[in-house]
Amino acid sequence: MNMNFRTAILSLFLFSFPTISMFAQKEKEKQDAAPPSSEAEFEKEYQERIKKDKIGGVYIPKNLEDACLQLTKLSAPESQGKFKKINEDSVTMYLHGSLGKWIIMNWSFFEGSRLSHYFRTAGVTYPDDMADVVIVAWHRNLNGKPMDIKQLLQFFKERRKQKIEAEQVGKLKKGQVIFQETRKKSAGN
């Protein structure tokens, strides 16, 4: 994919969604609202948020199919056409920073929403992974391919597990042995 095509796709997505007013509204809400003062307060707010079909005036999809339907309604046909042409293996790489961030912010993946709860109960717990699942599913949906929701969720769940394991191994390799004690065997052993 050449750079001009990629730039065109990104710019279409940036202007296809009503991002500016929604981001501004969400930021204002966050500034006005005090953060939860305890884990119990956070949990109470989370339990309320996951039941709402709208948060901050924004409709929250109930599941992956509904999310695809909403993205189709919100995006221009020209943008959809460009989006469909991207290779599925590259779609999240090109659009995570624009469409993915829009999804995370507007559908309240960090604070909790019924859609983020849908993903959490399926084992996908990172907001970035949730957004990537939506992007891939919508791409498949627009291209008339089966979404294979269970397989898609399992793929992102496994990918996150592998990233965490790789990070842990990397930290161990970077570590430095400060002192190593060896046990001396006694003559009787």
Side-chain angles (χ1 to χ4, degrees):
M1 180 181 307
N2 68 34
M3 199 59 146
N4 290 335
F5 183 68
R6 180 175 177 233
T7 304
I9 290 170
L10 291 175
S11 65
L12 284 170
F13 274 103
L14 289 175
F15 295 110
S16 292
F17 291 91
T19 56
I20 296 172
S21 63
M22 285 186 183
F23 276 124
Q25 179 182 353
K26 284 210 126 345
E27 287 306 308
K28 174 100 173 83
E29 287 173 12
K30 285 181 186 177
Q31 290 171 359
D32 291 344
S37 59
S38 67
E39 185 67 31
E41 187 179 329
F42 174 84
E43 185 61 29
K44 181 182 177 228
E45 287 179 19
Y46 179 83
Q47 290 302 322
E48 290 171 7
R49 291 175 69 85
I50 64 173
K51 296 173 187 164
K52 294 181 177 182
D53 63 347
K54 283 188 176 184
I55 298 174
V58 178
Y59 176 77
I60 307 296
K62 59 184 172 253
N63 56 33
L64 197 49
E65 294 92 348
D66 192 21
C68 292
L69 177 65
Q70 295 309 310
L71 290 174
T72 300
K73 286 179 181 179
L74 290 169
S75 64
E78 181 182 350
S79 296
Q80 292 175 33
K82 302 267 186 191
F83 178 65
K84 287 169 61 172
K85 292 179 184 176
I86 303 172
N87 184 320
E88 182 178 312
D89 295 335
S90 304
V91 74
T92 58
M93 180 178 71
Y94 288 118
L95 294 170
H96 182 82
S98 55
L99 178 60
K101 294 301 179 196
W102 184 93
I103 291 168
I104 291 168
M105 293 298 295
N106 287 283
W107 290 344
S108 300
F109 285 178
F110 282 107
E111 303 89 353
S113 68
R114 67 182 184 169
L115 185 57
S116 72
H117 188 69
Y118 164 86
F119 284 119
R120 287 181 193 285
T121 58
V124 178
T125 58
Y126 283 73
D128 288 329
D129 295 342
M130 294 175 192
D132 286 347
V133 169
V134 173
I135 291 170
V136 172
W138 188 43
H139 186 268
R140 289 179 180 179
N141 181 268
L142 288 177
N143 282 296
K145 295 180 181 176
M147 282 192 272
D148 293 325
I149 295 172
K150 286 184 182 180
Q151 174 267 336
L152 190 59
L153 293 168
Q154 186 62 35
F155 171 80
F156 279 93
K157 200 163 99 175
E158 271 303 308
R159 188 177 80 169
R160 178 57 61 182
K161 181 180 173 188
Q162 290 171 358
K163 283 182 182 180
I164 291 170
E165 288 171 358
E167 286 174 8
Q168 289 171 344
V169 168
K171 286 178 183 177
L172 289 175
K173 286 183 180 178
K174 287 181 184 177
Q176 185 178 23
V177 177
I178 298 171
F179 175 78
Q180 185 171 353
E181 185 173 340
T182 54
R183 184 174 174 185
K184 294 181 182 179
K185 293 186 178 185
S186 64
N189 288 343

